Amino acid sequence: MDDVLADPVDIGRHYDERTPIGEEFRGGQLHMWYWYDRDDDASLPEAVHRTTRKVTETLGLRPGEHVLDAGCGPGETAVYLAKEYGVRVTGVTVSGFEIGAARSKAEEAGVVDKVRFQYGDYMELPFPDGSFDAVLALESLQNAPDLGRVLKELFRVLRPGGRISFSDFSLESDAEPRRVERFMTTLKLPVLPTLTEWLAHTAAAGFAVEEYTQCGPRVFGMKAKYLETAMGRRDEIAEKFGETEIAEFSRLHRGFFAPRKDQIGYVIVAARKPRG
């Protein structure tokens, strides 16, 4: 685990290397998929968007609210929020590539008046206290070098009564630790909490947890279906990026598939900053 990255610049580079091809496979998004079973005929982009909807629906967004997308990726989710819910979104990321891709998506979608993206380390955000009505963190907290600190920072920028929803991987079994270590090293995860530990971290930051779920079997548990689906587009994407880039992308992600499908969970947590 010595090579797990924690520095924001290195994390940004990590995503700069992976996002271009990753978002091509997943329809402009970078997070995990959600398939009901092996017979589910949803495409990979559709399965990824299910996760977007499943997590964002727990926020209970209202038109005109201001949302912080903490670790916004290439911007597709923020654009979706602006169009679907009529909210304003500020997205922050440490990836230069993702900022450029996100701004292009916002312009193409005609939502530049509602969505903006900027470089930002969520350990030390450049926003006053109580700036946001809601915070969304799709698979971004996992890279925090200090999970307690980042949750407290997100708590700070939320208004009293504001909501946070996040999704991330969780540890379900440590029976074969080397498999889990390969997974964590590949994704640059300093820690891999259990669901119980995720809830404890959230509460320790001051949040009142209101909803949580564990849907690992339909997410990481569908890794074989992801590989089958992705391979169906391999030649198309190789034609765009080149065989060398595709081979390197595959090499970088090999450790992701090391754990058994029952070892890695996927948690969704929704919580609120108390009003007083």
Side-chain angles (χ1 to χ4, degrees), residues 98-136:
E98 291 182 347
I99 291 173
R103 288 173 176 168
S104 294
K105 286 183 176 68
E107 185 172 351
E108 291 170 6
V111 292
V112 291
D113 58 327
K114 292 183 177 180
V115 178
R116 66 186 180 97
F117 301 96
Q118 65 188 73
Y119 183 93
D121 178 3
Y122 56 19
M123 299 280 288
E124 193 172 352
L125 292 165
F127 309 117
D129 295 357
S131 295
F132 299 95
D133 300 293
V135 171
L136 175 68

Side-chain angles (χ1 to χ4, degrees), residues 33-252:
W33 51 81
Y34 185 102
W35 276 297
Y36 292 103
D37 51 42
R38 293 297 300 273
D39 296 325
D40 188 340
D41 62 0
S43 68
L44 178 55
E46 290 170 340
V48 172
H49 189 62
R50 277 181 185 158
T51 299
T52 303
R53 295 198 310 270
K54 192 171 182 68
V55 181
T56 58
E57 284 174 358
T58 65
L59 279 171
L61 295 174
R62 303 169 182 88
E65 289 191 315
H66 193 185
V67 181
L68 173 66
D69 189 353
C72 61
E76 186 72 19
T77 298
V79 169
Y80 165 75
L81 294 179
K83 295 177 70 175
E84 179 72 12
Y85 295 100
V87 296
R88 294 180 295 125
V89 185
T90 296
V92 296
T93 177
V94 291
S95 166
F97 173 84
E98 291 182 347
I99 291 173
R103 288 173 176 168
S104 294
K105 286 183 176 68
E107 185 172 351
E108 291 170 6
V111 292
V112 291
D113 58 327
K114 292 183 177 180
V115 178
R116 66 186 180 97
F117 301 96
Q118 65 188 73
Y119 183 93
D121 178 3
Y122 56 19
M123 299 280 288
E124 193 172 352
L125 292 165
F127 309 117
D129 295 357
S131 295
F132 299 95
D133 300 293
V135 171
L136 175 68
L138 274 166
E139 297 170 30
S140 58
L141 299 183
Q142 61 191 20
N143 292 122
D146 186 335
L147 185 55
R149 178 179 168 187
V150 70
L151 282 167
K152 288 178 181 177
E153 181 69 349
L154 297 177
F155 184 90
R156 180 187 68 80
V157 300
L158 267 177
R159 66 166 173 80
R163 296 92 66 204
I164 182 172
S165 290
F166 65 84
S167 63
D168 257 308
F169 296 109
S170 64
L171 179 65
E172 290 300 294
S173 170
D174 60 359
E176 296 181 71
R178 289 191 178 182
R179 290 177 178 266
V180 176
E181 286 174 9
R182 286 190 64 197
F183 175 83
M184 294 177 67
T185 298
T186 297
L187 294 184
K188 311 303 178 188
L189 308 185
V191 295
L192 183 59
T194 64
L195 171 58
T196 299
E197 289 167 342
W198 274 114
L199 297 177
H201 282 300
T202 306
F207 291 105
V209 175
E210 296 185 339
E211 181 180 355
Y212 58 89
T213 188
Q214 168 61 269
C215 47
R218 290 178 170 177
V219 182
F220 189 80
M222 290 289 137
K223 62 177 181 172
K225 186 171 179 64
Y226 162 77
L227 288 171
E228 293 170 4
T229 306
M231 285 302 294
R233 295 193 60 208
R234 186 193 183 284
D235 291 345
E236 170 198 344
I237 293 176
E239 185 174 345
K240 179 174 181 178
F241 290 93
E243 284 291 342
T244 300
E245 292 298 320
I246 285 288
E248 177 63 8
F249 179 81
S250 298
R251 185 192 68 80
L252 290 172

